[in-house]
Structure formats: structure tokens, C-alpha cells
Amino acid sequence: MKIKVMVVDDSGLYRQLVKNVLRNITDVEVVGLACSGKEALEKIHEVQPDLLTLDVQMPDMNGLELLREIRKRRIPVKAIMLSSLTAHGAQVTTDALLAGAFDFIQKPSGPDPNANRLQLEALLAEKLNAFQQSKSTSLPVKKDTSAIAHLPKSSPEEPIAAPFTESSTPPQINAKSTRIDAVVIGTSTGGPIALRELIPKLPNTLGVPVLVVQHMPPKYTQSLASRIGEVSQIPVHEAVDGMKVEANHVYIAPGGSHMGLGRRLGDLIIRTSDDPPEHNCRPAVDFTFRAACRFYSGNLLGVILTGMGRDGTEGCRLIKQLGGSVLAQHPDGCIVYGMPKVVVEEQLADRVIPLEKMASWIVRLVEKGRA
């Protein structure tokens, strides 16, 4: 089934560009154009789009304001934000992601118009593919448990089914746990909302550092760290090269750079890297998970949240080989059940946890490791 898309942009030239690009993408139908948020709001009921490509900065009603109005009216339509590379554009885009936007694209702005067009087409095709995946994998738990059935059998005291119960209290962990000296989290599409759900539930007495990789370009991770930090008990930072890694702090990999680790005068510090992308991503989850394994060995808890692709799978494999533990987000609640699904299918997940209970499980496992 084709994805019905409405293009919303105050620039007539850019509206036409996006429309023409979308026509080249398989299984996409452009059902409408709008030059402002207000016009889009009026047309949505008429053309019934599945998805909007939504300019961030527009007069009268900008993209964020439109998104909030859509949410307020409970209109069943998603949005991909088209953002300019400015500090303001990054902040508004981050706010849009936290307000429910499906994903975003940074508008290509190079000197070659044809190269910009090709880049825009590739970016849109990738996001539309993720959107199509989200429609086909956002299923009830009972319809998406085939991979979960292949997890290693647990002891009678630790049933695999336990995390699926509706109890608000995590089940008791009776088996001996490896000490946890750090938590590493990887996520992509849908990650900002997932991180905002998870991180504010972590106490400032957690006792270990938390390293987070969210697939994002430069500028956006600073906004993300700021917004999540505003509602968190635990300090949240965009990681900077040379920054000391301390317990009870969250470090988000800087957009456009890999996040590694190093030593300086006995302290563990952040080391950023411009090494080639992995899985077409920089920062990459696997890069950070490998770095964490070098310094923490098996005393790690890996967490894979919503996202498209398989970044993080090999990092989780290494964590498991060294004796650490891995949690994967439950399919019910993932914007795109891709990254966690691969981890589960390859039998690397010790537990499959609903997002709303993930923080409780992290705290529980860290505390158990200290006992």
C-alpha cells in the first residue's frame, strides 16, 4: 500500500522540489501541498495523508506549532521534519521530535543543486522506509513473539515471560548477576521520545555512568541533552572530548562524531572520533559499545531501544561474550522495531522489557550487581 504524503513548506520552490523527489520513491503518493501550517491543518481532513513532510520554520504556524495542534486534535498523521542547520532549527526540531514527530531530515545545503536533490531523495527514501516498517511492526505483543521464543531458556526462578506481565514492579532477579560498572544505551528512530521516558526515571544515586548513542547529526544532540536534562534527576550532557566520565551522569554521543573512551591521569574520559561511519551512522552504537567493553570488560549493561537497522548488534554480542547483560525494548512501544528485533533474533537479549519499565530494570540490575 502506498504512503500518502502531504508536503508542507512556505517556499514554493522547495515544495515543488520535495514533491518531485517523492515521485521518484516507490510506493509513495503525494496527495497535497500546503504553504503554511494553517493551510495544512485545513487540508488534512480533505486529503487524509499518512505522513507530512513538514518545514520547521514557517510564518503564522511553524512546524512545531502544527505538530502540537495535530496532537491536541488527535489527528492520526505522522510528520517528518525538514530542518535547517542552525542552532534555532536544531532546537525546534528536537522539540518536534519530543512532541511526537516521526523523524527529521536536515535540508541539504551544498553548492551543487543536483547533489542536494539526490541527497534529499536518499534521505527521504530512508525515512519513508522506516515509516513503512513502523506501520508493519507496531503490532500487539502476541503477534510479534516469534523471535522472543528463541531466547536462551532461563531458570525456573527467572521466566522469560516475566517482563511481559502488567505488574508495575520488576520481578525478582534470583540468579547471580555480573557487577555493572556502566550502562550503555543505543537507539535511533523514535529514540528522543524513548530517552525522555527512560532517563528522567533514573535516580541521581544510580552509582554508574550512562553512555547514550542516539543517531543524530551535529547540533541536535546538544538540544536533546538540554531538553532531557531539564526533566531529569540525573545530569545529562552532550559528550565533549576530554570530559571526565563520572557515576550518576548521562553522556549523549555528540552528533556527527563517534563516542569512545580513554584515560587521562587515571581518570576515564570521553574521546570523540571522526572515524568512518558504521552502518552509515556517526555516532554509531557499535563503536561506543566496543569502546565501553575495552574499559569495563564484562561489567556492562547494554540497552537497545527503538530504531531501524542493526547498529548495536555486534556491540551487544561483545558485551555478552565478556559476561555482561543486554536488555532490548519490547516491540510494543517501539516507533520502529528494528534494532531491538535483531538483538532478540540473534539471541543476545537477556530480557525484552517494555519501555515504561526499562529504568526500573536498569536500577534493579545495577543494585543487584553491587550486592
Side-chain angles (χ1 to χ4, degrees):
M1 183 179 290
K2 288 189 174 183
I3 303 171
K4 297 187 293 182
V5 181
M6 177 190 286
V7 179
V8 187
D9 200 296
D10 63 324
S11 165
L13 287 174
Y14 214 83
R15 280 197 307 277
Q16 192 61 44
L17 171 63
V18 175
K19 178 182 176 181
N20 292 339
V21 164
L22 288 171
R23 282 176 169 172
N24 291 332
I25 300 175
T26 306
D27 293 330
V28 172
E29 178 186 2
V30 178
V31 295
L33 304 173
C35 64
S36 69
K38 287 184 178 179
E39 184 182 2
L41 202 56
E42 294 168 359
K43 285 187 173 182
I44 283 174
H45 293 292
E46 175 189 345
V47 300
Q48 297 286 306
D50 302 307
L51 187 70
L52 308 177
T53 63
L54 186 54
D55 188 19
V56 168
Q57 295 171 312
M58 295 183 292
D60 298 327
M61 179 184 284
N62 66 29
L64 176 58
E65 291 166 338
L66 173 59
L67 199 64
R68 287 173 173 164
E69 191 63 29
I70 286 171
R71 190 175 183 181
K72 178 181 175 182
R73 300 187 187 190
R74 298 183 179 180
I75 301 171
V77 63
K78 299 293 185 181
I80 293 176
M81 312 302 293
L82 300 184
S83 173
S84 58
L85 183 58
T86 64
H88 177 68
Q91 185 65 73
V92 174
T93 301
T94 301
D95 290 340
L97 292 171
L98 294 173
F102 177 77
D103 210 334
F104 79 102
I105 288 171
Q106 189 175 294
K107 289 182 177 180
S109 56
D112 184 343
N114 187 55
N116 290 341
R117 181 185 171 284
L118 292 173
Q119 185 182 357
L120 180 63
E121 183 174 331
L123 290 169
L124 279 170
E126 178 186 12
K127 303 303 181 186
L128 288 162
N129 181 37
F131 179 71
Q132 192 72 278
Q133 282 192 37
S134 75
K135 293 176 68 179
S136 62
T137 58
S138 297
L139 302 172
V141 173
K142 63 182 181 180
K143 294 184 180 179
D144 200 0
T145 56
S146 58
I148 296 167
H150 296 293
L151 283 170
K153 291 182 179 179
S154 32
S155 65
E157 294 83 8
E158 288 189 280
I160 285 294
F164 298 96
T165 64
E166 293 303 316
S167 171
S168 59
T169 303
Q172 294 291 324
I173 300 166
N174 299 310
K176 183 179 179 180
S177 299
T178 302
R179 187 177 84 249
I180 294 171
D181 292 334
V183 177
V184 285
I185 299 175
T187 186
S188 184
T189 310
I193 291 178
L195 292 171
R196 189 181 61 178
E197 167 81 13
L198 191 161
I199 292 174
K201 294 179 179 178
L202 297 176
N204 57 12
T205 55
L206 181 64
V208 299
V210 180
L211 305 174
V212 177
V213 179
Q214 161 72 57
H215 293 162
M216 272 187 164
K219 293 186 182 289
Y220 297 90
T221 43
Q222 183 177 8
S223 299
L224 180 65
S226 174
R227 283 293 187 250
I228 294 177
E230 289 172 357
V231 293
S232 297
Q233 306 171 58
I234 191 167
V236 182
H237 314 275
E238 180 190 45
V240 175
D241 190 68
M243 180 181 284
K244 184 179 177 181
V245 177
E246 300 180 273
N248 307 317
H249 288 254
V250 174
Y251 303 90
I252 299 179
S257 297
H258 294 304
M259 178 168 67
L261 297 169
R263 289 280 182 194
R264 183 178 61 197
L265 300 177
D267 291 328
L268 189 63
I269 61 171
I270 298 291
R271 281 298 185 208
T272 59
S273 168
D274 293 329
D275 284 2
E278 299 182 20
H279 311 285
N280 295 317
C281 299
R282 191 171 62 203
V285 180
D286 278 337
F287 187 100
T288 296
F289 280 27
R290 287 196 309 271
C293 284
R294 282 195 293 273
F295 285 89
Y296 293 104
S297 188
N299 299 325
L300 277 174
L301 174 61
V303 179
I304 298 293
L305 305 178
T306 173
M308 186 174 71
R310 59 176 295 119
D311 187 21
T313 300
E314 296 311 313
C316 287
R317 195 184 312 281
L318 183 57
I319 289 172
K320 293 286 289 181
Q321 288 171 351
L322 293 172
S325 300
V326 172
L327 303 179
Q329 185 179 344
H330 193 286
D332 184 20
C334 284
I335 300 299
V336 177
Y337 186 52
M339 289 164 58
K341 183 179 182 181
V342 179
V343 168
V344 169
E345 287 179 338
E346 301 206 6
Q347 303 181 36
L348 300 173
D350 296 286
R351 289 285 188 278
V352 180
I353 308 293
L355 178 62
E356 65 271 18
K357 301 177 184 177
M358 188 67 80
S360 295
W361 271 91
I362 291 171
V363 173
R364 190 74 161 209
L365 289 168
V366 170
E367 290 178 348
K368 185 68 175 179
R370 292 199 203 105

